[in-house]
Amino acid sequence: MHGRPRKALKQEDEAASAAKTEKLRSVQAQFLANHHNHMLLLLPSTFFSLSLSLSLDLFKNCANLVGCRYSKEALDLSAKLLEVNPECYTAWNYRKLAVQHFLSNSDSDPHSIFDDELKLVENALRKNFKSYGAWHHRKWVLNKGHSSIDNEMRLLNGFQKMDPRNFHAWNYRRFVAELMKRSDEDELKYTEEVIATNFSNYSAWHNRSVLLSNLLKRKAEGYFPKEKVLEEEFEHVHNAIFTDPDDQSGWFYHLWLIEQTVKIDAPLLVSSWPSHGSNITLIGDNDLRGCGLSLLNGTLSNPGTLPIILYFNQAVEGINSSTVAIKSELLKEELIWKPLSMNNSNTAQFWVVYLNLGNFELQPSKTYSVEINIGHSKGIISSNGNHFDDPSQISCKVFVQTASSEPTEGQGGKRTTWKDTNFQKIDHFQESDSILPADQNHHIPTTSNWCTEEIGEEITKVRDLLFEYDCKIGKLTLARLLSALDSLSFQYDGRKSNTEEVLQLYTDLMKLDPTHYLYYKDEHSLISLKRITSTRDSLLPYCHYYKDATETITGYVCLRLRNLSLSRMGSIENLLWVQMLDLSHNELQSVEGLEAMQLLSCLNLSHNKFGSFTALEPVRLLKSLKVLNISYNELGSHSIDTTRYLCSSPVSHAEEFAWDRFEILTDSINATKFWEAFLIFGSLTLTELNITGNAVADENFRSFLVKVLPTLKWLDDEELS
């Protein structure tokens, strides 16, 4: 437990453990056998996964059907079992049903019934202070309102003296404090007392952050302005981290203070496509079919629609025609904004709407204006309940030009290839190419001098500490502080960036602390991408024109971020303009955030570490995607999909599955294990797909793909008949 190495049990300890196990099995067997003929018994793990109300309903129904009885013998047996093993959820749920049964009798004494339950829970907690079931049962009893809560704080104080860091007790303390209507100020004083006794108490520091968040949010007396409170808290936590730099409890609280110092509560629009002042050129044939789009001389693969993308600094809801007004001759029908979310939520950081150009008769050589007003009407709210209060306007022009060439690759022409010989570096950007948020006019509020000064002072203190005492958590904190300082200088106020030092710190940490290598690697990747995409000059070396097989430069500009050892994607707000993206030869395991890049038509993810189709979930939202290369990954190599725990929202929880279509498409082939692939590819209109070099890529899977993707013309570099 908590990193302590296990020691081999002595012979007498093994005998005692075996006797204890045998006793537990005996009592549990008696309990289950006693009710085998009276109710439906579910395994404890099953009860844990079900909601409490559902499991209670199941027991109630069974009790009503077979006339279940709650005898004293049965109750005593369940109590005996729980005092031996408090983790038996079935027994706790049985007792809840028993309590409800007894309360239904008119002559019952609720106080006596619930007091018995509280005594049982207390005995169970003395056996296992960290029993989820016991703490949940005690909450359930108190929520019924028949028990006195006067004794709860005394009980908690006793338990917390035994183990001051137990987070179950701290969670329960917050619950009891709310019932008792104890003030946040009083509870904050208690955390101060506990921390003064032993500052190596992560749970106490965490409780302090919860309480202070409440006090700061409602601007309680003595806790406003925020700056004064945070200064005092920084001084408070310094006592802990400078006394024992290797103890992480205070450092984690210090991180929370950094976040409070730099965070902006209200949602902000940080990026959009089109950007303000941009000029978009639609290129079509004489009949104006097969349009393209000029952005860095790029082409739009989906000719019928023109996407408008809004990227906020945090998840928001309320994006609709009332809160975002669009004026243009191109607008002929009501627009429906869609959240680009992996969990079917109405709250998202990225939002998109499509102007339908297919039914509009575009005039050659004519310029159309598009004006987008965001937030001039109230209604945009963050997931934290903060309102968007920074109205913005985006204006751009759309010019229609007659096409003079054949369709390029990725648009129904020849096969797309990703060899170096097919790319030519771009010498410079045009002044009219507005590709970064820095080029746009979104109103980012000026950071107060206090924030910058406070972060600067903390950097100095941590540097001084590291000069005398080298510790991993100190290096990590310095990296976070330097990154925070860079984030405060939004529009390059002349201050030198700390990017190189931050990257070196994460490189050092990967060597010093291999246990957390993947975390440091992800942070290193995010900082690297921020460095690459932050300015035009830094981005230029990675931008290339794409040349087709005839050595003709096509309309595509490809952003080549290959072979950079990236393990995580970031800085998506700077990449909304990208239509052709090469992320090959990296170490990516997921592409979370890529769903915002709605202009993407060609994507190369080959030679990465994708272990399942779940990791590719954002790809299914890329409406314009035509070319996808996922060759030489690890798809099909793992029997267990570990990506479900890496990604924020597994595919299986995010989408209704079209079983009817799946069964029709897979009727003649054995494809039952391909349902996740169906969820990814079923909504796409790919013309090219490469899956070579994956364990899943056999003939059976290829046959499945051909059926799921009727638009497919090239599969694994072979043209389909």
Side-chain angles (χ1 to χ4, degrees):
M1 181 183 289
H2 301 301
R4 295 182 217 161
R6 290 191 176 188
K7 296 181 179 179
L9 291 175
K10 298 178 181 178
Q11 189 172 357
E12 57 270 25
D13 293 333
E14 287 184 353
S17 178
K20 180 181 175 182
T21 303
E22 186 58 36
K23 179 182 177 182
L24 174 60
R25 285 175 177 169
S26 174
V27 176
Q28 186 163 307
Q30 290 179 56
F31 171 74
L32 296 176
N34 191 58
H35 305 292
H36 179 72
N37 296 322
H38 300 292
M39 63 177 65
L40 175 67
L41 290 175
L42 299 179
L43 292 174
S45 59
T46 308
F47 266 99
F48 188 70
S49 64
L50 293 173
S51 69
L52 178 59
S53 60
L54 176 59
S55 55
L56 288 176
D57 286 343
L58 286 170
F59 269 122
K60 283 178 182 177
N61 292 337
C62 294
N64 292 334
L65 285 172
V66 298
C68 175
R69 295 291 181 268
Y70 301 100
S71 65
K72 184 179 184 303
E73 178 188 7
L75 286 171
D76 290 344
L77 191 60
S78 66
K80 186 177 180 181
L81 171 60
L82 289 168
E83 288 174 353
V84 176
N85 178 23
E87 296 303 319
C88 185
Y89 298 102
T90 304
W92 287 119
N93 283 299
Y94 165 75
R95 293 195 68 88
K96 289 179 177 68
L97 288 170
V99 168
Q100 291 179 336
H101 171 75
F102 293 134
L103 289 175
S104 65
N105 297 329
S106 58
D107 58 346
S108 63
D109 179 6
H111 295 288
S112 175
I113 293 172
F114 285 115
D115 283 348
D116 287 343
E117 294 303 304
L118 290 176
K119 289 175 184 176
L120 173 61
V121 172
E122 186 172 345
N123 291 336
L125 287 174
R126 295 191 188 283
K127 179 68 178 179
N128 181 5
F129 188 30
K130 299 183 178 181
S131 169
Y132 285 91
W135 286 112
H136 289 165
H137 194 71
R138 196 169 188 88
K139 282 185 178 181
W140 179 81
V141 170
L142 289 183
N143 274 325
K144 292 298 180 180
H146 295 286
S147 305
S148 171
I149 58 175
D150 297 336
N151 185 49
E152 296 307 297
M153 279 300 178
R154 181 196 62 77
L155 179 70
L156 266 174
N157 290 336
F159 277 132
Q160 287 188 301
K161 284 179 181 178
M162 294 165 53
D163 183 0
R165 295 184 288 188
N166 186 283
F167 72 89
H168 296 277
W170 283 97
N171 287 339
Y172 187 71
R173 186 181 186 90
R174 286 191 287 274
F175 166 76
V176 172
E178 187 175 351
L179 285 181
M180 297 178 68
K181 302 189 183 307
R182 272 177 63 92
S183 69
D184 289 337
E185 291 87 343
D186 287 342
E187 283 297 288
L188 197 66
K189 289 177 183 176
Y190 175 75
T191 65
E192 211 163 313
E193 294 170 5
V194 174
I195 291 169
T197 303
N198 179 10
F199 59 75
S200 181
N201 190 328
Y202 175 82
S203 295
W205 287 112
H206 171 70
N207 200 52
R208 190 170 184 83
S209 70
V210 172
L211 295 166
L212 267 178
S213 294
N214 296 335
L215 292 166
L216 292 172
K217 187 174 183 178
R218 56 186 174 88
K219 297 180 180 179
E221 185 178 352
Y223 295 89
F224 183 81
K226 179 176 78 170
E227 290 81 359
K228 177 177 177 294
V229 178
L230 293 180
E231 283 180 4
E232 292 173 353
E233 291 302 307
F234 271 118
E235 287 302 319
H236 188 195
V237 79
H238 288 160
N239 295 329
I241 61 180
F242 286 103
T243 301
D244 184 0
D246 283 326
D247 186 89
Q248 298 185 7
S249 302
W251 285 110
F252 280 111
Y253 186 70
H254 189 269
L255 171 62
W256 179 80
L257 291 176
I258 296 172
E259 291 172 349
Q260 301 310 301
T261 302
V262 301
K263 81 170 184 177
I264 300 171
D265 293 328
L268 294 172
L269 180 68
V270 296
S271 183
S272 69
W273 195 92
S275 57
H276 181 70
S278 61
N279 296 309
I280 302 166
T281 302
L282 295 176
I283 306 171
D285 55 26
N286 292 331
D287 296 323
L288 296 174
R289 294 189 301 271
C291 298
L293 172 140
S294 177
L295 177 67
L296 293 174
N297 298 317
T299 55
L300 181 65
S301 65
N302 191 346
T305 60
L306 183 67
I308 296 174
I309 309 165
L310 301 181
Y311 193 118
F312 293 87
N313 68 332
Q314 55 187 289
V316 298
E317 61 180 322
I319 304 295
N320 52 51
S321 56
S322 298
T323 56
V324 180
I326 300 178
K327 299 177 182 178
S328 176
E329 289 181 68
L330 299 172
L331 182 58
K332 295 297 181 183
E333 58 187 36
E334 185 177 354
L335 299 178
I336 300 176
W337 284 91
K338 295 182 179 180
L340 294 169
S341 170
M342 292 294 99
N343 55 10
N344 288 341
S345 171
N346 290 323
T347 302
Q349 194 173 355
F350 331 120
W351 287 77
V352 66
V353 73
Y354 302 94
L355 294 183
N356 188 356
L357 306 180
N359 300 325
F360 188 81
E361 189 175 344
L362 297 170
Q363 301 292 324
S365 303
K366 180 177 179 178
T367 300
Y368 299 88
S369 296
V370 178
E371 183 180 298
I372 308 164
N373 293 290
I374 304 124
H376 291 275
S377 296
K378 297 293 183 182
I380 301 176
I381 306 173
S382 73
S383 55
N384 294 324
N386 296 307
H387 289 261
F388 179 81
D389 56 5
D390 186 37
S392 306
Q393 184 181 86
I394 301 168
S395 299
C396 64
K397 296 185 182 300
V398 179
F399 178 71
V400 180
Q401 177 180 320
T402 303
S404 58
S405 61
E406 295 297 321
T408 58
E409 287 133 284
Q411 292 179 284
K414 299 176 182 178
R415 177 174 59 87
T416 303
T417 55
W418 299 91
K419 296 178 180 177
D420 290 342
T421 54
N422 288 88
F423 296 94
Q424 177 179 316
K425 278 193 175 183
I426 296 176
D427 295 328
H428 63 279
F429 291 136
Q430 300 295 328
E431 287 300 320
S432 60
D433 292 329
S434 297
I435 60 174
L436 298 173
D439 302 321
Q440 305 174 25
N441 75 333
H442 303 312
H443 305 292
I444 304 212
T446 304
T447 307
S448 69
N449 289 333
W450 175 83
C451 293
T452 306
E453 291 171 2
E454 187 64 36
I455 294 298
E457 289 178 11
E458 291 304 308
I459 289 173
T460 300
K461 288 182 172 66
V462 174
R463 285 194 193 281
D464 291 343
L465 173 65
L466 290 174
F467 181 76
E468 297 180 5
Y469 191 92
D470 192 22
C471 64
K472 294 176 289 188
I473 190 72
K475 287 180 179 291
L476 177 59
T477 301
L478 180 59
R480 288 167 170 168
L481 282 166
L482 293 171
S483 296
L485 185 63
D486 286 346
S487 72
L488 292 176
S489 54
F490 288 108
Q491 304 299 325
Y492 316 112
D493 57 5
R495 189 187 298 117
K496 182 182 177 182
S497 169
N498 297 291
T499 302
E500 294 302 326
E501 184 178 358
V502 174
L503 289 173
Q504 187 58 53
L505 283 167
Y506 282 122
T507 300
D508 294 342
L509 284 166
M510 281 186 267
K511 298 174 183 176
L512 291 171
D513 187 13
T515 304
H516 301 104
Y517 175 88
L518 293 178
Y519 171 78
Y520 302 134
K521 181 69 175 174
D522 282 352
E523 294 299 306
H524 190 280
S525 298
L526 293 176
I527 299 297
S528 296
L529 283 167
K530 188 175 181 180
R531 176 183 62 175
I532 290 170
T533 64
S534 59
T535 68
R536 291 181 175 216
D537 291 341
S538 61
L539 189 63
L540 186 60
Y542 301 91
C543 293
H544 298 71
Y545 287 123
Y546 177 71
K547 298 186 294 184
D548 62 20
T550 62
E551 293 295 312
T552 302
I553 294 178
T554 66
Y556 277 116
V557 168
C558 179
L559 181 63
R560 305 190 77 196
L561 301 176
R562 62 195 304 273
N563 206 22
L564 297 176
S565 297
L566 300 176
S567 61
R568 184 178 174 186
M569 280 300 296
S571 298
I572 302 293
E573 69 274 15
N574 296 333
L575 305 177
L576 300 183
W577 57 274
V578 176
Q579 299 172 73
M580 190 174 193
L581 178 62
D582 186 354
L583 289 168
S584 63
H585 297 275
N586 281 297
E587 299 171 24
L588 295 170
Q589 297 184 59
S590 72
V591 283
E592 202 166 353
L594 213 65
E595 64 272 18
M597 299 175 65
Q598 287 293 298
L599 270 67
L600 261 187
S601 59
C602 299
L603 176 61
N604 186 0
L605 296 173
S606 65
H607 297 276
N608 275 282
K609 294 184 177 181
F610 297 104
S612 72
F613 289 105
T614 304
L616 298 171
E617 183 184 3
V619 171
R620 69 182 174 86
L621 297 182
L622 298 178
K623 187 175 179 179
S624 299
L625 193 65
K626 299 298 177 185
V627 178
L628 177 63
N629 189 336
I630 50 175
S631 61
Y632 298 100
N633 276 280
E634 300 171 9
L635 299 171
S637 299
H638 308 290
S639 57
I640 298 177
D641 180 7
T642 55
T643 315
R644 293 183 183 280
Y645 309 101
L646 295 176
C647 299
S648 61
S649 52
V651 170
S652 56
H653 296 169
E655 187 79 2
E656 285 190 29
F657 193 77
W659 285 110
D660 292 343
R661 183 180 172 222
F662 181 72
E663 288 174 357
I664 291 171
L665 290 172
T666 60
D667 183 47
S668 60
I669 58 177
N670 180 23
T672 54
K673 60 183 178 180
F674 301 149
W675 63 272
E676 285 188 329
F678 173 74
L679 276 173
I680 301 299
F681 296 118
S683 59
L684 298 177
T685 55
L686 297 178
T687 57
E688 299 180 34
L689 176 63
N690 195 329
I691 59 166
T692 306
N694 289 287
V696 72
D698 55 18
E699 287 305 316
N700 194 39
F701 186 61
R702 290 188 178 91
S703 300
F704 164 77
L705 289 174
V706 171
K707 287 192 173 188
V708 173
L709 293 164
T711 55
L712 207 58
K713 296 182 178 180
W714 294 85
L715 179 59
D716 295 344
D717 293 336
E718 294 181 3
E719 189 170 11
L720 301 176
S721 56

